[in-house]
Amino acid sequence: MPGGVFRGEEHPYRKIFTRKHNPLQALSYLALKVVLFPAIWSTGLIYLLHALWGHWDPGGFWMTIVANLHILAGFAIFTFVIIHVYLLTIGHGFLRHVRPMVTGFDRIVLTPEQEAYLRADEPERLRE
């Protein structure tokens, strides 16, 4: 039986000013930016420009590989989106998760040093 955030309990990871994502989230976003986005763009461009290089591939072997890699990357990005939409519904509720994405502000606990730094150097980033 699931527990933790699936039952409304607090998350095991606490956001701080300098690090808002837990390690698994950070790795997921890194993989998205370094692997999936370049894969979808590069295979899409190669696919799009098939008329320029298709004469080197008379049997269509490389075109099949490019097309399958493009579809695989697309499904991976689609899965990423579906998982994120699902994760918006667990825990403290949909609006509490979406509001920081729309407004750009999230409530986090600051250490006295972080708060003093923000008050002195970046007061526009603070909201009471």
Side-chain angles (χ1 to χ4, degrees):
M1 191 168 199
V5 295
F6 294 102
R7 290 190 168 176
E9 296 174 11
E10 282 297 316
H11 288 265
Y13 178 81
R14 197 183 67 146
K15 292 179 186 179
I16 61 173
F17 174 67
T18 56
R19 189 182 64 235
K20 294 181 181 83
H21 294 102
N22 68 39
L24 185 59
Q25 288 170 322
L27 282 174
S28 297
Y29 286 115
L30 180 66
L32 189 73
K33 291 177 183 179
V34 173
V35 177
L36 289 179
F37 287 158
I40 198 81
W41 277 97
S42 61
T43 57
L45 287 172
I46 293 169
Y47 202 3
L48 183 66
L49 299 173
H50 180 259
L52 299 176
W53 62 270
H55 61 282
W56 291 329
D57 187 27
F61 173 76
W62 290 108
M63 183 60 175
T64 303
I65 290 177
V66 169
N68 286 330
L69 288 174
H70 188 69
I71 289 172
L72 184 66
F75 276 123
I77 291 171
F78 179 70
T79 303
F80 186 85
V81 169
I82 294 298
I83 290 170
H84 272 72
V85 170
Y86 168 70
L87 290 174
L88 285 173
T89 65
I90 66 170
H92 300 293
F94 183 80
L95 287 177
R96 186 161 174 200
H97 292 295
V98 173
R99 187 174 293 120
M101 293 181 229
V102 173
T103 64
F105 288 95
D106 196 7
R107 293 188 185 275
I108 59 171
V109 178
L110 296 172
T111 65
E113 294 82 13
Q114 291 169 339
E115 187 172 354
Y117 165 76
L118 287 174
R119 287 202 187 284
D121 293 341
E122 301 179 44
E124 68 278 357
R125 294 183 72 183
L126 286 175
R127 282 197 177 172
E128 301 301 325

